[in-house]
Amino acid sequence: MAGRAVCGWWAGLPPAAGGAVMAAGILSVGLQLTGHTGASLAALVIAVVLWLPLAADFVIRFAADRGRFRAQADTPAALTAVAATTVLGTRLAQLGLQGLATALLLLSAAIWPGLLCAVMRHWHHRMPGAAFLVCVATQGLAVLSATLAAAHRLDWLNRAALACFCLGALLYLVALRRFDFHEVLGGAGDQWVAGGALSITALAGAKLTAAPLWTGTVHTALRTATLVALAISLGWYAVLLAAEVRSPRTHYDIRRWSTVFPLGMTATACLSAAGPTGVPWLRPLGEVLLWIAVAAWLLTLAAWAAQPRWRGPGPLSRVRAWPIRFR
């Protein structure tokens, strides 16, 4: 009976719950890069435990509840399904589990086009930060593709990663045009994706820059793009942090996991870009930012745990967290 209750609770979650998987997954990647293997594996276990029921619910909705599936697939948060899967795949690739990572790449690549088209068909003006998930999901494919290309020495996969990288950068600009900048002061947490999308762009650029396939002008262009994306993402970090201090938002909202993910992604991008770009001070900066992200994860977890979980379908699916409002 307890198992059925847990399954029913997960089934009531909105697609934005994928942000929790993304947050734990990227912290696992960053912690591994800094040598904290035990903490990294713990975060990975959390990411997997969260991802499995969400993936099962995705399949069930697709197979048996097409109405609900189509309604939720139209929202930007649906793309967390792609982003979370690619982040998890990247961490598994770090562990040498290339077969599982490849399977997750194929899965995310299969669902990405349909979700991306559905989301972009229903875009509006003055959108929340979740709009930038069109970039995050695409760059997630670039990161995982480049990671597997390096492991298997597959030039064609590196070229596919470069194509995703370029498309993701273009999608960022498109999303920026529709972003409601009032969200910087009033957003519920997903406004941080505006900077996190550039951080994952920098991470993808760093992995491509490190690939021996790219030399000469292409290598220089990739290095420059990586540093520019990272610099702008750090600018976003400062602006959004100042906005949080000016307008504190202390209540729990499921979109707060979309704050933790950009914090962890910015740290991981700094750690990963230090070597390929030849800017060594990015690594100590990344280490500092990583612990800030860990602290944010713990605070968000504590805020979630303080909710009255057993009233109704659960606090993660409260109305204030879904649907995302378009103005």
Side-chain angles (χ1 to χ4, degrees):
M1 181 174 293
R4 287 195 297 270
V6 171
C7 290
W9 179 74
W10 276 112
L13 290 177
V21 182
M22 295 162 62
I26 198 58
L27 287 182
S28 181
V29 173
L31 288 166
Q32 181 62 30
L33 290 174
T34 54
H36 297 88
T37 303
S40 173
L41 290 175
L44 175 61
V45 169
I46 293 171
V48 171
V49 168
L50 295 174
W51 182 85
L52 286 172
L54 289 173
D57 184 53
F58 183 95
V59 172
I60 291 170
R61 280 186 284 118
F62 180 78
D65 193 353
R66 290 296 183 90
R68 181 181 168 217
F69 180 85
R70 284 192 295 269
Q72 294 189 338
D74 292 344
T75 63
L79 285 166
T80 60
V82 177
T85 302
T86 58
V87 170
L88 185 59
T90 300
R91 181 63 185 98
L92 293 175
Q94 275 186 321
L95 286 173
L97 301 174
Q98 312 301 346
L100 284 176
T102 300
L104 292 181
L105 175 60
L106 293 174
L107 174 61
S108 55
I111 64 176
W112 168 73
L115 290 177
L116 182 66
C117 291
V119 167
M120 295 188 71
R121 279 200 306 267
H122 293 83
W123 267 14
H124 301 264
H125 293 289
R126 301 182 64 190
M127 293 181 66
F132 291 100
L133 284 167
V134 296
C135 171
V136 173
T138 307
Q139 296 294 12
L141 290 172
V143 170
L144 182 51
S145 296
T147 301
L148 290 172
H152 297 294
R153 299 180 181 179
L154 298 174
D155 288 349
W156 68 266
L157 194 53
N158 253 321
R159 293 188 178 92
L162 178 60
C164 288
F165 174 78
C166 294
L167 178 58
L170 177 61
L171 288 171
Y172 182 87
L173 296 176
V174 175
L176 186 64
R177 290 187 59 193
R178 294 180 177 267
F179 178 55
D180 181 2
F181 283 88
H182 292 95
E183 291 287 306
V184 172
L185 288 175
D190 60 352
Q191 70 275 14
W192 281 83
V193 185
L198 285 174
S199 296
I200 194 172
T201 298
L203 177 59
K207 288 186 173 293
L208 287 167
T209 302
L213 175 64
W214 312 114
T215 59
T217 303
V218 177
H219 179 272
T220 301
L222 283 169
R223 178 181 180 275
T224 302
T226 299
L227 291 175
V228 169
L230 188 54
I232 300 175
S233 73
L234 289 170
W236 268 113
Y237 194 114
V239 169
L240 290 164
L241 183 60
E244 293 280 0
V245 173
R246 184 178 183 275
S247 302
R249 283 142 279 184
T250 56
H251 67 275
Y252 175 77
D253 190 292
I254 193 171
R255 285 167 286 181
R256 267 306 176 193
W257 295 110
S258 294
T259 298
V260 180
F261 171 72
L263 293 175
M265 181 55 72
T266 303
T268 302
C270 288
L271 292 167
S272 299
T277 61
V279 185
W281 58 263
L282 285 174
R283 183 168 181 83
L285 174 61
E287 291 174 352
V288 172
L289 295 180
L290 179 63
W291 292 113
I292 293 174
V294 170
W297 187 88
L298 291 172
L299 286 172
T300 304
L301 181 65
W304 169 79
Q307 301 299 302
R309 280 173 287 172
W310 308 115
R311 297 179 188 174
L316 287 179
S317 55
R318 288 183 175 180
V319 173
R320 70 184 177 195
W322 188 262
I324 292 175
R325 298 184 302 275
F326 296 102
R327 295 183 178 87

